[in-house]
């Protein structure tokens, strides 16, 4: 667990950063709410966010790809991005219990008289551990603006709202079978214990999202550990849901309740947000990133060895290609070990790079045949930017 010291240092630092941003006039509209909270003294994110490792957006923070260690497959919990609709709540694990209710249970329960499942109850079920690539729906959003000239609303992530971690917990299907499931159950709604989400003067209530019973009975996990450590408060302590391969919003943190229903459930997080037109967003697209600073200065040589990672919510990565001529010609990158649900590390040797500015392009294809396009069709909320990112570098 973190110390009080680190917490107050982090708060002071972020408060200062935000004040500096106001003075500099560089504050985007979406940063105003976190600014207010920071000045009121309650940071939205509790873990330290060193400036060389994170871009701090207030309630959200992304990992800098330049700080990713190419020798490490998993993202350390301390370095994983954070996406909060409001603020990280502090939850007492000793009095915590997950509430399960709904007419989809074999013995139906109402929200007022749910089954209470403690962490000890959960830990009596068979445990499982699973590596997944965990990613926000809006990862890459800023490239709608910087690369395609069509700004989208929401946090201006570059490519750092992603990480790959090992979760430990129990399968949701084991809990549901243990409690007894009605054969007509179709939908499960997960609700967080964080404060209600207020935007544009409307209180939408606690963050929650429904998902089909098929996903619940397939690979959904109730997790209390990440990479062998208890979840940090920012990542859902003491218990979160994990829906492997799906958009980050599906993995509800600080899981307060699960409603199991024989009718389709809805929430603003699948009717209003996290959809494109008629499509409710579920499986993450294919994306790639270079483990380099934006605008990196690279020392010229006969050969430059570069690294990066690619990932897909649907399947492992089959192929990664690199272009340094704007996409006219492509060369294969060398792929590291393929993992079922995690990202793939790759390396590529740039032979005799010319001095001057260049754009590095990496394009991945997954094992179900999805390839990154050169342009992603625009959508207002800037979801699913999966186009090949043009990463500027200078060879000096
Ligand atoms: N209760 C709750 N769960 C939540 C959120 C939230 O704000 N509240 N944010 C969601 C979103 S949009 C994402 S991308 C992931 C981020 O998980 P992380 O902060 O652990 O990286 O959590 C999801 N689960
Ligand atoms: Mo997200």
């Amino acid at each position: 667990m973190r110390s009080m010291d680190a917490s107050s240092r982090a708060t002071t630092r972020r408060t200062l950063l935000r004040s500096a941003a106001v003075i500099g006039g560089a504050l985007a509209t979406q940063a105003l709410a976190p600014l207010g909270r920071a000045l009121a003294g309650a940071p939205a994110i509790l873990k330290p966010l060193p400036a060389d490792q994170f871009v701090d957006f207030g309630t959200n923070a992304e990992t800098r790809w330049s700080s990713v260690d190419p020798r490490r497959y998993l993202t350390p919990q301390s370095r994983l991005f954070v996406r909060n609709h409001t603020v990280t709540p502090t939850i007492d694990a000793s009095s915590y219990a997950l509430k399960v209710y709904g007419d989809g249970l074999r013995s139906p329960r109402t929200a007022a008289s749910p089954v209470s499942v403690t962490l000890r109850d959960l830990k009596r079920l068979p445990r499982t551990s699973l590596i997944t690539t965990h990613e926000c729906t809006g990862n890459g959003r800023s490239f709608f603006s910087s690369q395609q000239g069509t700004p989208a609303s929401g946090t201006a992530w570059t490519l750092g709202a992603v990480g790959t971690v090992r979760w430990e917990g129990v399968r949701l299907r084991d809990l549901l079978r243990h409690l007894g499931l009605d054969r007509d159950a179709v939908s499960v709604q997960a609700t967080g214990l964080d404060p209600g989400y207020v935007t544009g003067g409307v209180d939408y209530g606690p963050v929650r999202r429904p998902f089909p019973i098929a996903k619940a009975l397939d690979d959904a996990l109730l997790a209390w550990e990440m990479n062998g450590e208890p979840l940090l408060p920012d990542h859902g302590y003491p218990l979160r849901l994990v829906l492997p391969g799906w958009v980050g919003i599906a993995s509800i943190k600080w899981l307060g309740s699960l409603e199991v229903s024989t009718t389709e459930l809805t929430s603003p997080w699948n009717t209003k947000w996290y959809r494109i037109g008629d499509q409710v967003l579920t499986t993450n697209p294919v994306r790639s990133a270079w483990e380099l600073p934006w605008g990196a200065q690279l020392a010229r040589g006969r050969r430059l060895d570069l690294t990066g990672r690619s990932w897909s919510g649907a399947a492992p990565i089959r192929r990664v290609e690199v272009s340094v001529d704007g996409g006219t010609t492509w060369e294969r990158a060398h792929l590291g070990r393929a993992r079922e649900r995690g990202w793939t590390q790759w390396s590529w040797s740039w032979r005799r790079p010319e001095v001057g500015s260049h754009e590095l392009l990496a394009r991945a294809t997954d094992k179900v045949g999805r390839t990154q396009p050169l342009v992603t069709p625009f959508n207002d909320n800037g979801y699913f930017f999966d186009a090949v990112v043009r990463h500027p570098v200078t060879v000096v």
Side-chain angles (χ1 to χ4, degrees), residues 181-235:
L181 193 60
D182 188 291
R183 70 180 61 204
D184 293 327
V186 294
S187 190
V188 180
Q189 173 122 262
T191 302
L193 291 168
D194 35 345
Y197 179 54
V198 179
T199 184
V202 179
D203 186 346
Y204 290 92
V207 176
R208 60 200 186 280
R209 200 175 197 243
F211 55 101
I213 194 76
K215 186 70 174 170
L217 298 179
D218 178 15
D219 56 2
L221 199 68
L222 300 172
W224 55 75
E225 264 183 31
M226 191 192 293
N227 303 337
E229 305 159 353
L231 292 176
L232 286 175
D234 296 315
H235 295 296

Side-chain angles (χ1 to χ4, degrees), residues 233-304:
D234 296 315
H235 295 296
Y237 179 87
L239 188 76
R240 81 180 295 167
L241 179 66
V242 177
L243 298 192
W246 281 27
V247 288
I249 185 60
S251 294
I252 294 294
K253 304 193 274 189
W254 316 294
L255 187 61
S257 67
L258 290 170
E259 177 180 2
V260 185
S261 175
T262 59
T263 54
E264 289 295 338
L265 300 171
T266 61
S267 94
W269 284 267
N270 78 332
T271 59
K272 182 175 172 63
W273 304 298
Y274 300 100
R275 58 187 297 147
I276 298 176
D278 291 344
Q279 186 200 0
V280 173
L281 301 179
T282 55
T283 306
N284 270 326
V286 187
R287 294 179 175 109
S288 303
W290 294 88
E291 291 164 346
L292 285 173
W294 197 250
Q297 303 257 320
L298 305 172
R300 75 177 212 258
R302 281 173 43 206
R303 206 181 97 183
L304 279 175

Side-chain angles (χ1 to χ4, degrees), residues 83-135:
R83 162 68 172 118
N84 283 347
H85 281 73
T86 59
V87 297
T88 293
T90 301
I91 295 169
D92 174 8
S94 64
S95 57
Y96 168 85
L98 170 67
K99 297 182 166 57
V100 187
Y101 64 94
D103 68 357
L105 295 176
R106 197 178 299 142
S107 313
R109 296 284 199 127
T110 61
S113 60
V115 188
S116 277
V117 183
T118 64
L119 290 168
R120 277 180 67 186
D121 296 335
L122 282 177
K123 288 177 180 174
R124 279 199 285 265
L125 295 171
R127 296 185 191 198
T128 183
S129 104
L130 186 67
I131 290 177
T132 73
T133 291
H134 171 60
E135 185 175 39

Side-chain angles (χ1 to χ4, degrees), residues 30-51:
Q30 72 245 32
L32 285 167
L35 173 69
R37 268 192 299 275
L39 293 176
I45 297 175
L46 300 180
K47 72 180 182 181
L49 300 171

